[in-house]
Amino acid sequence: MGLLGAITGPRDLDGLTPGQLVDLAAEIREFLVAEVSKTGGHLGPNLGVVELTLAIHRVFDSPRDAIVFDTGHQTYVHKLLTGRQDFSKLRLEDGLAGYPQRSESPHDIVESSHASSSLSWADGISRAFTMTGQGDRHVVAVVGDGSLTGGMTWEALNNISDDNSRNLVIVVNDNGRSYAPTIGGMAHFLNDVRTRSSYRNLHRSSEKLFGKLGTPGRAFYRGIRGGTHGFLSRFTNNEALYSNLDIKYIGPIHGHDIVAMQSALEQARNYGAPVIVHAITEKGRGYLPALADTADQFHAVGQIDPETGEPTEVASKPSWTSVFADEIVDIASSNPRIVGITAAMLRPTGLHKFAERFPGRVLDVGIAEQHAVTSAAGLAFGGLHPVVAMYATFVNRAFDQVLMDVALHKAGVTFVLDRAGVTGPDGPSHHGMWDLAILQVVPNIRIAAPRDATRLREELREAVAVEDGPTVVRFSKGSVGNEFEALRRTDDGVDVLREAAHKDVLIITVGPMAKLGLQVAERLAAQGIGATVVDPRWVVPVPESIIGFAAEHRIVVSIEDGVRVAGIGTRIRQDLRAAGVDTAVTELGLPDEFLDHGTREQILERVGLTPQDIARDLVSQVLGSKIPVARPLPDDIELDARLRREPS
């Protein structure tokens, strides 16, 4: 890795010849395949942006020129060129993050890594540069073509075009895919550009094409102008206000021709106004296993054999996603009213099997979660029952639509939230830790948290049977754990997993935290403390029997893998008070912090959600030495006798 090893920052690229840049690109691809295959990560997207990223750093002066990536999973090459070449702990605790992270480098600007936001960032940064007299600084937004399906992108374009005197370059990384092939009208247009005969010879002719507007450029310009003009004029009834979307277009450029990319970017930099540079790239370029993967070109991989691309570890148990994927097909087979909706994540959320079996009943709306939710409300009004499948972190983006379009209208819509709770290596922006706190404030919403595969299938069927309001089924990332059968089920659906003769502690677990709750109960039993463990199954609203259980016990502890501020534990405490039950409640969950990347187990240990930590605190609370203090027994001598009699 002779050339790559000598790169400590972007300016080390300045002295390289075109031939050396080609060699460096090859070294980077070898490095990515070798390193990412050991740790897992986003391989395909980064193999596709090698030359594009090299050209950007050759032309622009980061970090003085701000480079914003949409989304951040395509920044591995950027990390390498900005001096971060230790990938041995990529996405692991104490290692490099899989997304941009300001604490790692001043070259990283935006950390959130949720798609379609970069143009709004770029709009704000470029305005700030202009308003503060820093007119010599540039902003570069690298936008995947899938991000063009998001509504924020179009809102930003409208504002960027309204003030076109700024140094702003928008690089459209057009590989025809977000995860899977990109959906929507803009995708169809870009696909048409890619397949035209004029592009088939683009590698040879790109040096001539890059500086010319050309027919494809004019069509692209008209597409943006006409789309924005038509969309906004319908809602504002003021066509004149939005009729002049004037953004310079350069392209299409061969995204793997470094010389052509550099020349196009230099022209864009010198233009003095917003410019779109349309670069056509190939996801997974240079790595045959990725190119052969028709599903997503190795968008994200686990540990793999770098030679074959085959996984080196095969899960012994099915994933939560696969259980949902099979069950929703079975449900849809007997209920023709069930339809699926996803936002550019057909395969990651498990709807691909539904789409294969019933292709006319699954809608992929692109990276447009807000539209997906309101469209689902419309589908419900039309007599269908939509199942909206997305990652838990992405439902944050559509809260207003869940509240005002679904719940207010009592629409029967089921939300299936994958990757709920602590997800691990993807880091702060991808933990699904806010959904319980955010969604439980929605009036009449019902939220289920299955603890195992059997309960997932069961609760999914219960959810789609509800027609008078929104339902939510949330589950974790990775493999489903062991089955935990209930000793009994109450009339209102609460599963009792463990009971003790002495009603000291009531442990209420949310979803997969059932395992942790049972482990805590075992430790308490070893200390002579009796614990009942219950799984509400449906955590919102709080079942009535939970109130009854709490009244019978000396102290209650709730355990959830969501943020504890306004979490399920808080709701239980409020419901107890409303019912006149004064049992103390300990609410355990995730802190209201942005949790760094690491394995799920490492993160849970970091925040104190371990059997030993929880049991230790509960023993102190039962003994009255730590707040909240358990209610006293009718005869205080009873517990003392038990503690002396039973082993510690």
Side-chain angles (χ1 to χ4, degrees):
M1 298 294 178
L3 288 171
L4 179 57
I7 303 298
T8 60
R11 299 287 54 83
D12 291 335
L13 299 173
D14 294 346
L16 299 184
T17 66
Q20 288 175 315
L21 288 171
V22 172
D23 292 340
L24 176 58
E27 284 188 23
I28 290 173
R29 285 195 170 89
E30 291 178 12
F31 177 93
L32 291 175
V33 171
E35 294 298 319
V36 178
S37 66
K38 298 174 187 175
T39 62
H42 291 92
L43 183 56
N46 287 284
L47 293 173
V49 297
V50 176
E51 291 84 2
L52 184 152
T53 309
L54 282 166
I56 288 173
H57 277 295
R58 285 264 288 190
V59 173
F60 296 95
D61 184 19
S62 177
R64 179 167 177 75
D65 293 330
I67 303 174
V68 178
F69 288 88
D70 190 338
T71 59
H73 62 241
Q74 57 184 333
T75 54
Y76 294 5
V77 183
H78 166 77
K79 287 175 184 271
L80 289 173
L81 300 180
T82 52
R84 290 167 281 175
Q85 298 185 9
D86 181 3
F87 274 47
S88 60
K89 291 186 176 181
L90 176 69
R91 307 195 319 146
L92 302 176
E93 193 171 47
D94 300 323
L96 286 179
Y99 295 90
Q101 189 163 299
R102 288 182 177 180
S103 62
E104 282 184 8
S105 172
H107 296 277
D108 290 2
I109 307 296
V110 178
E111 297 187 8
S112 75
S113 303
H114 284 189
S116 305
S117 64
S118 67
L119 294 191
S120 296
W121 271 96
D123 176 53
I125 295 171
S126 62
R127 286 182 189 274
F129 286 171
T130 300
M131 295 169 72
T132 56
Q134 301 180 79
D136 59 334
R137 299 180 70 179
H138 289 74
V139 181
V140 181
V142 183
V143 184
D145 67 310
S147 297
L148 293 176
T149 63
M152 278 186 70
T153 296
W154 296 96
E155 294 172 28
L157 277 171
N158 171 63
N159 280 275
I160 289 168
S161 66
D162 185 56
D163 178 7
N164 57 8
S165 61
R166 291 172 279 151
N167 293 323
L168 172 57
V169 177
I170 302 167
V171 180
V172 177
N173 172 31
D174 175 15
N175 59 22
R177 310 178 73 89
S178 47
Y179 286 82
T182 307
I183 301 299
M186 181 55 69
H188 290 312
F189 170 77
L190 294 177
N191 186 61
D192 179 58
V193 172
R194 283 193 302 275
T195 56
R196 289 176 184 172
S197 59
S198 61
Y199 179 70
R200 286 200 295 266
N201 299 317
L202 187 59
H203 187 70
R204 294 195 303 270
S205 59
S206 59
E207 289 187 351
K208 295 180 180 178
L209 282 172
F210 80 86
K212 298 179 180 179
L213 191 62
T215 301
R218 285 193 295 272
F220 185 82
Y221 166 78
R222 287 196 302 271
I224 295 177
R225 177 174 178 170
T228 305
H229 170 86
F231 176 83
L232 292 170
S233 64
R234 289 188 186 96
F235 285 87
T236 63
N237 204 26
N238 187 349
E239 298 184 8
L241 186 61
Y242 298 101
S243 62
N244 184 30
L245 183 60
D246 186 14
I247 302 178
K248 173 77 170 177
Y249 172 90
I250 299 175
I253 312 300
H254 193 299
H256 302 293
D257 184 331
I258 298 178
V259 173
M261 277 301 308
Q262 182 173 332
S263 298
L265 290 170
E266 286 172 346
Q267 184 184 11
R269 179 194 62 194
N270 297 331
Y271 188 66
V275 179
I276 290 174
V277 177
H278 180 188
I280 297 181
T281 63
E282 183 179 40
K283 191 174 183 179
R285 186 175 179 88
Y287 185 42
L288 289 178
L291 294 175
D293 179 31
T294 57
D296 62 7
Q297 252 104 59
F298 279 20
H299 178 84
V301 297
Q303 295 178 343
I304 60 174
D305 182 328
E307 297 297 324
T308 65
E310 293 296 321
T312 55
E313 293 184 355
V314 179
S316 58
K317 296 180 179 179
S319 68
W320 289 95
T321 308
S322 67
V323 173
F324 163 70
D326 291 335
E327 189 66 16
I328 193 63
V329 171
D330 196 46
I331 293 172
S333 298
S334 58
N335 185 350
R337 295 178 56 249
I338 300 294
V339 294
I341 304 179
T342 188
M345 304 188 79
L346 191 69
R347 185 170 293 273
T349 60
L351 280 181
H352 59 294
K353 290 186 177 181
F354 188 179
E356 291 165 2
R357 179 76 177 275
F358 303 105
R361 292 168 58 187
V362 176
L363 310 172
D364 186 342
V365 301
I367 303 175
E369 292 86 359
Q370 294 168 300
H371 167 66
V373 173
T374 301
S375 179
L379 288 165
F381 177 77
L384 300 173
H385 190 102
V387 175
V388 181
M390 61 179 66
Y391 285 4
T393 184
F394 295 134
V395 79
N396 306 349
R397 313 181 83 184
F399 172 74
D400 182 66
Q401 287 69 32
V402 174
L403 181 67
M404 292 298 173
D405 294 320
V406 176
L408 178 63
H409 295 88
K410 297 181 173 59
V413 176
T414 295
F415 297 93
V416 173
L417 304 184
D418 202 325
R419 272 71 163 177
V422 172
T423 58
D426 282 335
S429 66
H430 278 57
H431 292 309
M433 57 187 280
W434 293 281
D435 60 306
L436 290 173
I438 290 174
L439 293 178
Q440 70 163 308
V441 304
V442 175
N444 301 315
I445 198 168
R446 302 167 176 91
I447 303 177
R451 66 180 180 268
D452 53 31
T454 297
R455 261 45 66 173
L456 170 54
R457 290 188 284 265
E458 183 179 78
E459 290 162 36
L460 180 62
R461 288 181 177 273
E462 293 171 7
V464 299
V466 174
E467 299 293 352
D468 61 350
T471 55
V472 177
V473 179
R474 73 185 302 267
F475 49 79
S476 299
K477 179 181 180 180
S479 298
V480 180
N482 295 330
E483 297 276 313
F484 296 102
E485 295 299 332
L487 300 177
R488 62 186 176 91
R489 178 171 290 178
T490 66
D491 292 341
D492 58 355
V494 174
D495 279 351
V496 180
L497 305 182
R498 179 183 176 120
E499 288 184 286
H502 303 288
K503 298 182 184 299
D504 294 315
V505 180
L506 173 65
I507 302 174
I508 304 171
T509 62
V510 174
M513 307 308 278
K515 177 180 179 181
L516 177 57
L518 290 168
Q519 291 171 332
V520 170
E522 289 178 5
R523 288 175 175 266
L524 294 178
Q527 299 294 323
I529 297 173
T532 300
V533 182
V534 297
D535 169 19
R537 298 174 60 256
W538 287 86
V539 295
V540 175
V542 176
E544 283 293 325
S545 62
I546 293 292
I547 309 298
F549 281 119
E552 298 170 352
H553 287 73
R554 301 181 59 206
I555 193 168
V556 174
V557 58
S558 62
I559 309 176
E560 58 192 294
D561 56 349
V563 63
R564 65 173 173 261
V565 175
I568 300 303
T570 302
R571 189 183 188 103
I572 291 171
R573 177 167 49 81
Q574 292 171 343
D575 283 10
L576 291 182
R577 297 300 171 267
V581 176
D582 64 353
T583 311
V585 179
T586 296
E587 304 137 35
L588 298 180
L590 303 175
D592 53 334
E593 302 169 3
F594 292 108
L595 303 177
D596 208 353
H597 57 278
T599 66
R600 177 179 169 87
E601 292 72 23
Q602 288 170 335
I603 293 170
L604 292 178
E605 182 175 2
R606 198 187 304 159
V607 301
L609 291 180
T610 66
Q612 55 269 34
D613 289 333
I614 298 172
R616 185 188 311 114
D617 286 346
L618 282 171
V619 169
S620 298
Q621 290 163 8
V622 169
L623 294 177
S625 60
K626 185 172 182 178
I627 296 174
V629 174
R631 290 190 301 182
L633 289 167
D635 184 351
D636 290 337
I637 299 174
E638 179 189 335
L639 180 62
D640 292 336
R642 273 194 276 134
L643 292 176
R644 286 195 301 269
R645 185 171 63 249
E646 300 186 24
S648 61

